Amino acid sequence: MASSTLNAGKIIIITAPSGSGKTTLVKRLLKEIPWLRFSVSACTRQPRPGEINGKDYHFFSEEAFKKMIAEDAFAEWEMVYTGKYYGTLKSELAATWNSNEVPLVDIDVQGALNIQKTYPDTSLTIFIQAPSIEVLRDRLQKRGTETPQSLNERIDKAVVELSFASQFDTIIINDDLETALQQLRQTVIQFVGRS
Ligand code: ADP
Ligand code: 5GP
């Protein structure tokens, strides 16, 4: 079928400093675009209460994960926290392309830059950014998920991550949510060439 050939291999990579609104925007986008499919990562951390294997992550032992690294199963992988591995499975991307859908990869800044190197011609990288560090701090505080210490860690990490923003194809400032969502939708639709 011509359309599946046309769209095979495209990949949307979205990243953002924590608290920028990435999860909020990605959830809305996935609801609106039927041919976009969330790419479920593999990881070695324990599932959190409520997380479902195969839906939130593919959970593996460290041994199994390392075996998959040796087998070249990953488009990218990283030790995100000490001893905790995360990666994007090539098989997950292939299954999405085979069903004529486009994978949306939601990963951290370093992972995004790595996967961009793997698929330089067929990837669209999007960096979502809060309007300022003050707004970011305020959103993280209001979300109510952070201790004062973890909030400061996330802000420090955000400052470092912001210095990489210019390496992405598109930067979307998430000030007004609906405006940011519209920009995100337009950018993705234009890149994939499908409405
Ligand atoms: P991330 O996934 O980037 O860490 P979230 O999607 O969890 O960020 O958003 C962080 C907090 O900011 C959440 O409480 C969310 O409801 C809120 N938020 C997201 N976008 C906006 C926006 N445009 N204006 C105000 N609050 C927002
Ligand atoms: P969490 O354990 O909170 O779900 O995720 C921790 C971090 O791992 C987040 O910054 C998230 O973006 C990142 N992450 C999730 N999946 C992947 C992946 O497949 N590859 C990489 N490199 N990072 C990932």
Side-chain angles (χ1 to χ4, degrees), residues 16-24 139 143 174-177:
S18 175
S20 308
K22 177 175 60 128
T23 306
T24 309
R139 283 188 190 160
R143 192 170 70 180
N174 178 21
D175 188 355
D176 172 65
L177 184 68

Side-chain angles (χ1 to χ4, degrees), residues 15 22 40-43 45 48 51 57 76-78 80-81 86-89 105-112 114 154 157 161:
T15 198
K22 177 175 60 128
V40 180
S41 293
C43 78
R45 74 156 166 75
R48 294 179 187 138
E51 282 186 332
Y57 280 102
E76 64 76 40
W77 64 270
E78 263 188 281
V80 176
Y81 302 113
Y86 292 76
T88 306
L89 286 161
V105 179
D106 172 348
I107 54 179
D108 72 344
V109 171
Q110 198 51 53
N114 289 341
R154 279 170 195 257
K157 188 162 184 256
E161 289 171 336

